[in-house]
Amino acid sequence: MANGLAIAWRRAAEAWPELHVPEDRYHAFVTARGWREDAAPSPEAAEALYLVCACAEGQEAALRAFEATYFDEVDILLAKERKPELRDELAQRLRVRLFLPREGAEPTVASYRGQGALRRWFRMVCARTWINLATRGNSEVPADEDFLVDLVGGDRDPELELIKKSYRQTFRRAFRTALSSLDDQAQGLLRGAFRD
């Protein structure tokens, strides 16, 4: 007769056929979160832990599945906001916070223990991330005038330096014109791309 964790693994694997978490890896992941052979997680928690385990391993299919299943919470949280770039900013911060490994530790998503619904856990993470984003204000540091111009070049090349010097003002005007023609969402994405 199969034990509780083996049954939980089998059901979870059937629920997420696009993901691959070997049974021994699943057992190790689940038991590290306090579950035992004789006290296996509920079917809902077993499936959630399977998805979380695959996300913690960085499986792209798992990351896509997590977003498709749970990131609607971002839209619910921001329903009253009228700025679409906030959704992109919060979603990106959640991706970084949840799925990127931290120094010597598993990604934050692995802190889910299966004690409650994964959706409720994610809703809390969303709320905390949103509060941090809203209360810490703009984390952008204004760049000096030459920052974007200097991004174009790297190594010092006398010919390139002459071109830069000759066309610097023209480039600045063209860049400012192009930047001002972008909508708020595109400007937000551009800022996000260069912030890190």
Side-chain angles (χ1 to χ4, degrees):
M1 182 173 172
N3 65 47
L5 289 182
I7 293 169
W9 171 78
R10 192 175 322 112
R11 286 181 179 158
E14 289 171 3
W16 297 105
E18 69 276 21
L19 309 182
H20 176 69
V21 177
E23 186 174 359
D24 60 336
R25 173 68 182 121
Y26 179 76
H27 284 210
F29 189 82
V30 170
T31 55
R33 279 140 191 85
W35 298 97
R36 300 184 318 268
E37 301 286 341
D38 60 338
S42 68
E44 179 183 301
E47 292 173 16
L49 286 164
Y50 190 91
L51 173 62
V52 166
C53 181
C55 286
E57 291 178 350
Q59 293 184 30
E60 287 200 30
L63 303 178
R64 285 192 304 270
F66 191 102
E67 283 199 36
T69 306
Y70 297 106
F71 268 53
D72 61 327
E73 291 295 331
V74 174
D75 297 317
I76 293 167
L77 182 67
L78 297 178
K80 294 182 181 179
E81 297 292 334
R82 301 254 185 243
K83 298 178 180 176
E85 69 274 8
L86 289 178
R87 194 247 185 244
D88 297 331
E89 177 73 18
L90 180 57
Q92 184 61 25
R93 287 189 184 221
L94 285 165
R95 288 181 195 106
V96 169
R97 180 176 182 178
L98 289 173
F99 304 131
L100 290 182
R102 296 167 292 151
E103 292 178 30
E106 293 181 302
T108 301
V109 72
S111 67
Y112 172 72
R113 302 180 67 77
Q115 299 297 327
L118 181 54
R119 179 170 290 279
R120 190 168 43 245
W121 179 87
F122 179 66
R123 191 177 297 141
M124 292 287 292
V125 173
C126 279
R128 287 181 185 142
T129 306
W130 171 240
I131 289 168
N132 288 343
L133 179 64
T135 58
R136 293 198 178 139
N138 188 355
S139 62
E140 296 174 22
V141 177
D144 65 7
E145 283 289 314
D146 296 326
F147 176 72
L148 292 173
V149 174
D150 290 338
L151 280 177
V152 176
D155 298 325
R156 296 291 177 212
D157 177 4
E159 205 171 356
L160 181 59
E161 292 300 315
L162 178 62
I163 292 170
K164 281 183 181 181
K165 188 175 181 179
S166 300
Y167 294 101
R168 181 168 304 211
Q169 294 304 322
T170 304
F171 176 79
R172 281 190 182 138
R173 280 193 300 276
F175 189 83
R176 284 187 184 125
T177 302
L179 191 61
S180 67
S181 70
L182 296 175
D183 62 17
D184 289 342
Q185 182 179 9
Q187 286 184 16
L189 290 171
L190 186 62
R191 276 199 285 316
F194 287 105
R195 177 179 310 132
D196 296 331

